[in-house]
Amino acid sequence: MTRLRSLFATAAATVLIAGTAAAGTASAAEAGQPREPGCAKLWGYGPGWADIYNECGYTIFASVEVDGFDPTCIQIGPGAVGTIGLEPGDVPYYAYVC
């Protein structure tokens, strides 16, 4: 009987540890800022340009959302930043995968 109790205690401890780890991960995600869906992230911008970061492990085509016509999509390698040209006065709202 002692062996059975020990087995149950070990199983219960494993479940508690796994549950605590999962809860810790959720708390860390909630503490951070909301993340945009997809691989393309607006990294920075200025007059006439915008940088798009590809946070995925594969090549993507991406662009940015602006008022009017969006710029043509550019190819960005995994983990790289690509610079896209903007029209005068364009301010990008977010990046997206084409």
Side-chain angles (χ1 to χ4, degrees):
M1 190 70 156
T2 304
R3 208 175 225 169
L4 187 58
R5 232 181 280 158
S6 177
L7 180 62
F8 283 130
T10 303
T14 303
V15 169
L16 286 174
I17 291 170
T20 304
T25 303
S27 298
E30 291 170 5
Q33 294 185 353
R35 298 175 54 82
E36 298 172 27
C39 297
K41 307 299 176 213
L42 181 60
W43 197 253
Y45 65 91
W49 64 273
D51 282 344
I52 303 170
Y53 172 64
N54 174 6
E55 72 175 11
C56 291
Y58 50 87
T59 300
I60 63 170
F61 286 88
S63 186
V64 292
E65 176 71 25
V66 297
D67 287 337
F69 293 103
D70 294 346
T72 304
C73 297
I74 60 171
Q75 182 176 338
I76 307 170
V81 175
T83 302
I84 194 166
L86 301 176
E87 295 292 321
D90 280 350
V91 177
Y93 297 107
Y94 58 87
Y96 63 90
V97 175
C98 301

